[in-house]
Amino acid sequence: MSNPFLPAATPVEVPEEIETDPILGNAAEQTGLDAPRLARDVAPAAPAVQAPTITADTVWLVGASGGVGVSTLARLAGEAVVDGGVHAPAWQAPAFVVAATHPAGLEAAAVLARANARGDVDYDIRGLILVHDRPKLSRATVQLAKQVAGVYPRTMTVPFVPAWREPGAVEIPKNVRVQLVLAALAPKKRKKS
């Protein structure tokens, strides 16, 4: 039944020949009985997330925007590193902003830096981790990334890791930059007095 208060939907013209999609084939969309009825039909329910054990060494990773790899980095870095998207950072807790190297991600990182400068952020931003969203960055992207990095106290980068975009277990690549980022996030060994 149509709603008299909403404008009528304009039919979308589908070209006679549509390029083949690996998921939908030659169809423009999937509807009806072939479409999953509920999310549980697609993937098993996520396990309940336990609250992290917070210590003096706990560091939060805060995504400037979604899908930047915060949960992957947190999982690889160990128990002392918490995904700020799952558990909000504690008051004045040390945190790193994680941003993708695409324009929206870099702008989101700049917005967080400005909010931090105004005192609108409850956690202590220690730096920025830029995650490359593609194998080769354009000159314009590199220039914008350098500008954004310049307003953070410290910036590290993680190269594009194709395996992290695939389903399944995530391994730590044998990449020096990834190793350096994970080492920077690891708790520092305290000297015995």
Side-chain angles (χ1 to χ4, degrees):
M1 182 167 162
S2 64
N3 185 333
F5 300 105
L6 295 176
T10 307
V12 176
E13 287 187 36
V14 177
E16 288 182 28
E17 289 187 32
I18 187 169
E19 60 276 356
T20 302
D21 179 79
I23 298 167
L24 298 178
N26 291 330
E29 63 182 56
Q30 177 179 319
T31 59
L33 296 178
D34 291 338
R37 288 180 184 24
L38 299 171
R40 68 177 160 72
D41 294 338
V42 177
V49 179
Q50 273 188 313
T53 302
I54 307 302
T55 68
D57 295 324
T58 301
V59 174
W60 271 262
L61 296 180
V62 177
S65 60
V68 298
V70 171
S71 56
T72 298
L73 287 173
R75 187 170 49 251
L76 293 176
E79 292 179 6
V81 179
V82 178
D83 180 344
V86 176
H87 300 283
W91 172 258
Q92 292 301 308
F96 283 85
V97 173
V98 182
T101 55
H102 52 62
L106 293 169
E107 178 55 32
V111 167
L112 262 175
R114 288 190 293 272
N116 186 51
R118 288 190 310 268
D120 293 343
V121 176
D122 292 339
Y123 39 88
D124 179 20
I125 294 179
R126 302 283 174 93
L128 173 66
I129 300 172
L130 291 173
V131 179
H132 292 224
D133 70 319
R134 55 193 176 275
K136 184 164 173 54
L137 302 179
S138 69
R139 188 175 304 168
T141 298
V142 170
Q143 184 178 1
L144 179 58
K146 285 180 177 182
Q147 288 174 344
V148 173
V151 298
Y152 280 86
R154 174 181 187 187
T155 299
M156 297 174 282
T157 62
V158 173
F160 178 74
V161 181
W164 288 359
R165 296 191 172 267
E166 297 298 327
V170 175
E171 295 181 14
I172 300 174
K174 293 178 170 99
N175 178 287
V176 174
R177 289 199 179 275
V178 173
Q179 300 294 326
L180 290 171
V181 168
L182 296 177
L185 296 173
K188 306 300 178 247
K189 303 285 185 215
R190 298 193 194 284
K191 294 180 183 176
K192 294 182 180 181
S193 5

